[in-house]
Amino acid sequence: MTGAPAGADLWLLEEAAIDRLLASSPLDELLAPEERARHARLRHPSVRLRFVGARLLSRHALSAYADVPPSAWRFRLGPFGRPLLDPNPWNLAFNLAHADGLVACVITRGRACGVDVERKPARPEALRLAGRWFSADERGYLEATPPEARSDRFLEYWVLKEAYTKALGVGLTRPFNSFAFSCLPADTIAVSDSGAGEAECARWQFELLRIGTEHVLAIAVRRMPADERRLPLRIVDLVEHRGARGAAAGAL
Ligand SMILES: CC(C)(COP(=O)(O)OP(=O)(O)OC[C@H]1O[C@@H](n2cnc3c(N)ncnc32)[C@H](O)[C@@H]1OP(=O)(O)O)[C@@H](O)C(=O)NCCC(=O)NCCS
């Protein structure tokens, strides 16, 4: 794959595949010095694994769009800790998320984008937080959901809310009850955000996906004025992508 995504590309990496990828892409060669230092500070094995998965996925995925080796990408942090490409003459935007078992990375050309992924089911204590984190409308939609579907519905709203605030670059610093999503399920998911206004809200495109049986994932992408009504979404598995590249190289 070369060139920039026409809309949004979602790259996925299962945590179970991380060790296999490391065999062909050793960590010491892949990470920048500040990433190596951060990696060394991480104590919890699952946190270390996700950190490694996120570096592998983002670096290899970005290299699909530019003639830059995975180890050569350099990043800086935005005001609320968001990693951004620096330098970025390719005008690529990306965002990362990890949950138990899965790492995800969304990539666009110059369009603000955010991604969030959660593993099912929602923790019971998280469900109780809906009272504090959701808008009055969202709380109403959740209460009207049959009890057996409520945990999944909670996660759907959660990943949408987090993908949106991550696309804005502010994450959880933005009160989650200060904006609201449409009643789910919906063919076209919309946000209503009094801080942004109607025209601005209409520029956002949201995708809600089930990945396998265990994960719920949402993407938020801000359309540009000249964009089609609906941007295309491509899903790429990093292991398959690297396998296909290897096969293509072998065939030469
Ligand atoms: C961004 C945030 C919502 C992530 O929450 P989470 O559920 O723990 O983690 P997720 O798996 O969804 O996403 C993690 C990734 O989001 C990205 N990220 C970090 N800050 C971000 C931000 N402000 N906006 C968008 N993305 C951000 C990072 O790539 C991170 O992965 P990495 O640390 O491996 O690079 C949360 O950390 C947050 O609100 N941060 C902003 C405020 C803050 O605490 N800043 C501290 C530094 S100034």
Side-chain angles (χ1 to χ4, degrees):
M1 194 185 313
T2 51
D9 285 356
L10 171 66
W11 288 75
L12 298 174
L13 172 61
E14 285 182 25
E15 275 183 4
I18 291 176
D19 282 345
R20 217 170 344 128
L21 282 178
L22 282 177
S24 59
S25 185
L27 210 52
D28 278 355
E29 292 169 21
L30 189 72
L31 299 187
E34 63 276 13
E35 289 171 318
R36 272 202 288 276
R38 196 175 149 201
H39 182 243
R41 284 196 301 272
L42 299 174
R43 291 281 157 251
H44 201 286
S46 65
V47 177
R48 281 172 82 93
L49 186 69
R50 269 173 229 175
F51 178 81
V52 170
R55 262 66 263 162
L56 270 171
L57 181 63
S58 52
R59 285 177 171 278
H60 281 279
L62 288 165
S63 290
Y65 308 101
D67 192 14
V68 176
S71 60
W73 294 102
R74 289 294 172 266
F75 306 92
R76 69 179 169 86
L77 295 184
F80 298 97
R82 178 190 181 132
L84 302 161
L85 279 175
D86 185 20
N88 188 11
W90 314 273
N91 195 22
L92 289 167
F94 79 101
N95 191 229
L96 279 166
H98 13 67
D100 193 15
L102 189 70
V103 189
C105 178
V106 63
I107 301 187
T108 70
R109 184 167 61 182
R111 296 175 179 89
C113 58
V115 60
D116 189 43
V117 60
E118 298 290 340
R119 187 174 190 141
K120 298 200 290 184
R123 294 192 311 272
E125 66 271 23
L127 258 166
R128 282 194 290 275
L129 288 179
R132 188 142 55 91
W133 289 83
F134 283 17
S135 71
D137 281 352
E138 289 165 338
R139 288 199 301 271
Y141 303 145
L142 201 59
E143 277 156 25
T145 305
E148 64 279 10
R150 216 169 275 164
S151 167
D152 283 6
R153 187 57 38 81
F154 169 84
L155 287 180
E156 289 169 7
Y157 278 112
W158 184 269
V159 291
L160 282 167
K161 285 167 106 49
E162 206 173 311
Y164 177 56
T165 58
K166 287 175 79 180
L168 295 171
V170 296
L172 299 171
T173 60
R174 175 82 194 269
F176 269 27
N177 56 9
S178 65
F179 58 93
F181 280 89
S182 34
C183 184
L184 297 175
D187 288 339
T188 305
I189 300 168
V191 71
S192 125
D193 181 348
S194 55
E198 244 175 70
E200 173 59 21
C201 288
R203 288 180 70 169
W204 285 92
Q205 177 173 327
F206 300 97
E207 306 286 346
L208 190 56
L209 306 167
R210 274 190 203 101
I211 310 291
T213 53
E214 296 187 323
H215 293 95
V216 183
L217 180 149
I219 295 171
V221 185
R222 186 171 181 268
R223 283 188 298 259
M224 291 174 173
D227 281 339
E228 298 289 321
R229 197 71 202 123
R230 210 143 182 89
L231 293 166
L233 170 70
R234 261 189 320 195
I235 302 179
V236 191
D237 181 285
L238 179 63
V239 172
E240 283 171 19
H241 171 76
R242 284 182 59 79
R245 264 195 37 200
L252 284 176

Short mmCIF file of all heavy atoms in Angstrom, two decimals, residues 53-90:
data_model
loop_
_atom_site.label_atom_id
_atom_site.label_comp_id
_atom_site.label_asym_id
_atom_site.label_seq_id
_atom_site.Cartn_x
_atom_site.Cartn_y
_atom_site.Cartn_z
N GLY A 53 3.24 -2.96 21.27
CA GLY A 53 2.30 -3.16 20.17
C GLY A 53 1.96 -1.85 19.48
O GLY A 53 1.90 -1.77 18.25
N ALA A 54 1.77 -0.80 20.27
CA ALA A 54 1.40 0.51 19.70
C ALA A 54 2.54 1.07 18.86
O ALA A 54 2.31 1.67 17.81
CB ALA A 54 1.02 1.47 20.82
N ARG A 55 3.79 0.89 19.34
CA ARG A 55 4.94 1.39 18.56
C ARG A 55 5.07 0.60 17.27
O ARG A 55 5.27 1.16 16.20
CB ARG A 55 6.23 1.24 19.38
CG ARG A 55 6.73 2.47 20.11
CD ARG A 55 5.81 2.92 21.21
NE ARG A 55 4.92 3.99 20.84
CZ ARG A 55 3.82 4.28 21.55
NH1 ARG A 55 3.48 3.60 22.61
NH2 ARG A 55 3.03 5.25 21.16
N LEU A 56 4.99 -0.74 17.36
CA LEU A 56 5.09 -1.59 16.17
C LEU A 56 4.03 -1.20 15.15
O LEU A 56 4.30 -1.00 13.97
CB LEU A 56 4.85 -3.05 16.55
CG LEU A 56 6.03 -3.91 16.95
CD1 LEU A 56 5.53 -5.25 17.49
CD2 LEU A 56 6.95 -4.16 15.76
N LEU A 57 2.80 -1.11 15.63
CA LEU A 57 1.68 -0.87 14.71
C LEU A 57 1.79 0.51 14.06
O LEU A 57 1.70 0.64 12.83
CB LEU A 57 0.34 -1.00 15.45
CG LEU A 57 -0.90 -0.79 14.59
CD1 LEU A 57 -1.01 -1.86 13.51
CD2 LEU A 57 -2.17 -0.82 15.45
N SER A 58 1.98 1.55 14.87
CA SER A 58 1.97 2.89 14.29
C SER A 58 3.15 3.09 13.34
O SER A 58 3.00 3.61 12.23
CB SER A 58 1.96 3.97 15.37
OG SER A 58 3.01 3.76 16.29
N ARG A 59 4.32 2.63 13.72
CA ARG A 59 5.51 2.85 12.88
C ARG A 59 5.41 2.08 11.56
O ARG A 59 5.69 2.63 10.50
CB ARG A 59 6.78 2.47 13.65
CG ARG A 59 7.15 3.50 14.71
CD ARG A 59 8.36 3.08 15.50
NE ARG A 59 8.83 4.16 16.36
CZ ARG A 59 9.61 5.16 15.95
NH1 ARG A 59 10.01 5.20 14.70
NH2 ARG A 59 9.98 6.09 16.80
N HIS A 60 4.99 0.80 11.64
CA HIS A 60 4.89 0.03 10.39
C HIS A 60 3.73 0.54 9.53
O HIS A 60 3.84 0.59 8.30
CB HIS A 60 4.72 -1.45 10.70
CG HIS A 60 6.01 -2.12 11.06
ND1 HIS A 60 6.93 -2.54 10.12
CD2 HIS A 60 6.57 -2.40 12.27
CE1 HIS A 60 7.99 -3.05 10.72
NE2 HIS A 60 7.79 -2.98 12.03
N ALA A 61 2.63 0.92 10.15
CA ALA A 61 1.48 1.42 9.37
C ALA A 61 1.86 2.72 8.66
O ALA A 61 1.62 2.88 7.46
CB ALA A 61 0.28 1.63 10.29
N LEU A 62 2.49 3.65 9.37
CA LEU A 62 2.87 4.93 8.74
C LEU A 62 3.81 4.70 7.55
O LEU A 62 3.72 5.41 6.54
CB LEU A 62 3.52 5.85 9.78
CG LEU A 62 2.56 6.43 10.82
CD1 LEU A 62 3.31 7.00 12.02
CD2 LEU A 62 1.65 7.50 10.19
N SER A 63 4.65 3.69 7.66
CA SER A 63 5.61 3.42 6.57
C SER A 63 4.92 2.91 5.31
O SER A 63 5.55 2.83 4.25
CB SER A 63 6.68 2.44 7.03
OG SER A 63 7.53 3.06 7.96
N ALA A 64 3.64 2.57 5.41
CA ALA A 64 2.90 2.15 4.22
C ALA A 64 2.55 3.36 3.34
O ALA A 64 2.13 3.19 2.19
CB ALA A 64 1.62 1.41 4.61
N TYR A 65 2.71 4.58 3.85
CA TYR A 65 2.28 5.77 3.11
C TYR A 65 3.43 6.68 2.68
O TYR A 65 3.20 7.71 2.05
CB TYR A 65 1.30 6.60 3.96
CG TYR A 65 0.16 5.78 4.48
CD1 TYR A 65 0.15 5.32 5.79
CD2 TYR A 65 -0.90 5.43 3.64
CE1 TYR A 65 -0.88 4.53 6.25
CE2 TYR A 65 -1.93 4.63 4.10
CZ TYR A 65 -1.92 4.20 5.40
OH TYR A 65 -2.94 3.40 5.86
N ALA A 66 4.64 6.34 3.09
CA ALA A 66 5.77 7.21 2.75
C ALA A 66 7.02 6.35 2.70
O ALA A 66 7.08 5.29 3.32
CB ALA A 66 5.93 8.29 3.82
N ASP A 67 8.00 6.84 1.99
CA ASP A 67 9.23 6.08 1.85
C ASP A 67 10.11 6.34 3.08
O ASP A 67 11.19 6.95 2.97
CB ASP A 67 9.92 6.53 0.54
CG ASP A 67 11.05 5.59 0.19
OD1 ASP A 67 11.11 4.49 0.78
OD2 ASP A 67 11.88 5.97 -0.67
N VAL A 68 9.62 5.92 4.22
CA VAL A 68 10.32 6.14 5.49
C VAL A 68 10.33 4.79 6.23
O VAL A 68 9.28 4.18 6.40
CB VAL A 68 9.54 7.18 6.36
CG1 VAL A 68 10.21 7.36 7.72
CG2 VAL A 68 9.44 8.51 5.64
N PRO A 69 11.49 4.30 6.65
CA PRO A 69 11.50 3.04 7.39
C PRO A 69 10.81 3.19 8.74
O PRO A 69 10.83 4.29 9.33
CB PRO A 69 13.00 2.74 7.57
CG PRO A 69 13.75 3.83 6.93
CD PRO A 69 12.82 4.89 6.46
N PRO A 70 10.21 2.10 9.26
CA PRO A 70 9.47 2.20 10.54
C PRO A 70 10.27 2.84 11.67
O PRO A 70 9.72 3.59 12.47
CB PRO A 70 9.14 0.74 10.85
CG PRO A 70 9.08 0.07 9.51
CD PRO A 70 10.10 0.77 8.65
N SER A 71 11.58 2.59 11.71
CA SER A 71 12.37 3.12 12.83
C SER A 71 12.69 4.61 12.67
O SER A 71 13.16 5.24 13.61
CB SER A 71 13.69 2.35 12.93
OG SER A 71 14.40 2.51 11.72
N ALA A 72 12.42 5.19 11.49
CA ALA A 72 12.86 6.57 11.24
C ALA A 72 11.81 7.63 11.61
O ALA A 72 12.11 8.82 11.61
CB ALA A 72 13.26 6.72 9.78
N TRP A 73 10.57 7.21 11.92
CA TRP A 73 9.54 8.20 12.25
C TRP A 73 9.90 8.87 13.58
O TRP A 73 10.37 8.22 14.51
CB TRP A 73 8.18 7.53 12.38
CG TRP A 73 7.68 6.97 11.08
CD1 TRP A 73 7.71 5.67 10.70
CD2 TRP A 73 7.09 7.69 9.99
NE1 TRP A 73 7.18 5.53 9.44
CE2 TRP A 73 6.80 6.74 8.98
CE3 TRP A 73 6.80 9.03 9.77
CZ2 TRP A 73 6.22 7.11 7.76
CZ3 TRP A 73 6.22 9.40 8.56
CH2 TRP A 73 5.93 8.44 7.57
N ARG A 74 9.65 10.17 13.66
CA ARG A 74 9.89 10.91 14.90
C ARG A 74 8.60 11.61 15.32
O ARG A 74 7.82 12.07 14.48
CB ARG A 74 11.00 11.95 14.71
CG ARG A 74 12.39 11.30 14.55
CD ARG A 74 12.81 10.58 15.86
NE ARG A 74 14.02 9.79 15.72
CZ ARG A 74 14.07 8.48 15.44
NH1 ARG A 74 12.96 7.80 15.25
NH2 ARG A 74 15.21 7.83 15.38
N PHE A 75 8.41 11.72 16.63
CA PHE A 75 7.15 12.22 17.18
C PHE A 75 7.41 13.31 18.20
O PHE A 75 8.48 13.38 18.79
CB PHE A 75 6.39 11.07 17.86
CG PHE A 75 6.18 9.87 16.97
CD1 PHE A 75 7.10 8.82 16.95
CD2 PHE A 75 5.07 9.79 16.14
CE1 PHE A 75 6.91 7.72 16.12
CE2 PHE A 75 4.88 8.69 15.31
CZ PHE A 75 5.81 7.66 15.30
N ARG A 76 6.40 14.15 18.40
CA ARG A 76 6.40 15.05 19.55
C ARG A 76 5.05 14.91 20.22
O ARG A 76 4.12 14.33 19.63
CB ARG A 76 6.64 16.50 19.12
CG ARG A 76 5.49 17.09 18.33
CD ARG A 76 5.75 18.54 17.94
NE ARG A 76 4.75 18.97 16.98
CZ ARG A 76 3.56 19.48 17.31
NH1 ARG A 76 3.22 19.61 18.58
NH2 ARG A 76 2.72 19.84 16.36
N LEU A 77 4.90 15.41 21.44
CA LEU A 77 3.61 15.31 22.13
C LEU A 77 2.85 16.62 22.02
O LEU A 77 3.43 17.69 22.20
CB LEU A 77 3.80 14.94 23.60
CG LEU A 77 4.42 13.56 23.87
CD1 LEU A 77 4.45 13.28 25.37
CD2 LEU A 77 3.63 12.45 23.16
N GLY A 78 1.54 16.54 21.72
CA GLY A 78 0.68 17.72 21.71
C GLY A 78 0.43 18.18 23.14
O GLY A 78 0.88 17.55 24.10
N PRO A 79 -0.34 19.30 23.32
CA PRO A 79 -0.53 19.88 24.65
C PRO A 79 -1.14 18.92 25.67
O PRO A 79 -0.88 19.02 26.87
CB PRO A 79 -1.46 21.07 24.42
CG PRO A 79 -1.77 21.10 22.96
CD PRO A 79 -0.95 20.08 22.24
N PHE A 80 -1.94 17.93 25.24
CA PHE A 80 -2.55 17.00 26.19
C PHE A 80 -1.97 15.59 26.02
O PHE A 80 -2.64 14.59 26.26
CB PHE A 80 -4.08 16.99 26.05
CG PHE A 80 -4.70 18.32 26.36
CD1 PHE A 80 -5.02 19.20 25.34
CD2 PHE A 80 -4.92 18.71 27.67
CE1 PHE A 80 -5.58 20.44 25.62
CE2 PHE A 80 -5.47 19.94 27.97
CZ PHE A 80 -5.80 20.82 26.93
N GLY A 81 -0.75 15.54 25.55
CA GLY A 81 -0.04 14.26 25.51
C GLY A 81 -0.26 13.43 24.26
O GLY A 81 0.18 12.28 24.20
N ARG A 82 -0.90 14.00 23.24
CA ARG A 82 -1.14 13.22 22.01
C ARG A 82 0.13 13.13 21.15
O ARG A 82 0.70 14.18 20.79
CB ARG A 82 -2.25 13.89 21.19
CG ARG A 82 -2.51 13.17 19.89
CD ARG A 82 -3.43 13.96 18.99
NE ARG A 82 -3.62 13.18 17.78
CZ ARG A 82 -4.81 12.94 17.23
NH1 ARG A 82 -5.89 13.44 17.75
NH2 ARG A 82 -4.90 12.21 16.15
N PRO A 83 0.58 11.93 20.79
CA PRO A 83 1.73 11.85 19.88
C PRO A 83 1.36 12.36 18.49
O PRO A 83 0.32 12.01 17.94
CB PRO A 83 2.04 10.35 19.84
CG PRO A 83 1.32 9.74 20.98
CD PRO A 83 0.13 10.61 21.23
N LEU A 84 2.25 13.20 17.94
CA LEU A 84 2.07 13.79 16.60
C LEU A 84 3.36 13.58 15.82
O LEU A 84 4.45 13.61 16.40
CB LEU A 84 1.80 15.29 16.72
CG LEU A 84 0.58 15.71 17.55
CD1 LEU A 84 0.72 17.18 17.96
CD2 LEU A 84 -0.69 15.49 16.75
N LEU A 85 3.24 13.40 14.51
CA LEU A 85 4.45 13.27 13.68
C LEU A 85 5.20 14.60 13.63
O LEU A 85 4.58 15.65 13.47
CB LEU A 85 4.06 12.89 12.26
CG LEU A 85 3.75 11.41 12.02
CD1 LEU A 85 3.26 11.22 10.60
CD2 LEU A 85 4.98 10.56 12.28
N ASP A 86 6.52 14.52 13.75
CA ASP A 86 7.33 15.73 13.69
C ASP A 86 8.74 15.36 13.22
O ASP A 86 9.47 14.72 13.99
CB ASP A 86 7.38 16.38 15.08
CG ASP A 86 8.10 17.71 15.04
OD1 ASP A 86 8.23 18.29 13.95
OD2 ASP A 86 8.56 18.15 16.11
N PRO A 87 9.11 15.63 11.98
CA PRO A 87 8.40 16.45 10.98
C PRO A 87 7.27 15.68 10.31
O PRO A 87 7.18 14.46 10.45
CB PRO A 87 9.52 16.74 9.96
CG PRO A 87 10.42 15.54 10.06
CD PRO A 87 10.38 15.10 11.49
N ASN A 88 6.45 16.42 9.55
CA ASN A 88 5.30 15.78 8.89
C ASN A 88 5.01 16.41 7.52
O ASN A 88 3.92 16.94 7.29
CB ASN A 88 4.07 15.89 9.81
CG ASN A 88 2.89 15.09 9.29
OD1 ASN A 88 3.04 14.29 8.36
ND2 ASN A 88 1.73 15.32 9.87
N PRO A 89 5.97 16.33 6.58
CA PRO A 89 5.72 16.88 5.24
C PRO A 89 4.67 16.07 4.48
O PRO A 89 4.16 16.52 3.46
CB PRO A 89 7.09 16.78 4.55
CG PRO A 89 7.82 15.72 5.27
CD PRO A 89 7.33 15.75 6.70
N TRP A 90 4.34 14.88 4.95
CA TRP A 90 3.36 14.01 4.28
C TRP A 90 1.93 14.38 4.69
O TRP A 90 0.97 13.84 4.18
CB TRP A 90 3.61 12.54 4.63
CG TRP A 90 5.04 12.16 4.52
CD1 TRP A 90 5.69 11.74 3.41
CD2 TRP A 90 6.02 12.21 5.57
NE1 TRP A 90 7.01 11.51 3.70
CE2 TRP A 90 7.25 11.80 5.02
CE3 TRP A 90 6.00 12.57 6.93
CZ2 TRP A 90 8.44 11.71 5.75
CZ3 TRP A 90 7.17 12.50 7.66
CH2 TRP A 90 8.37 12.08 7.07
#
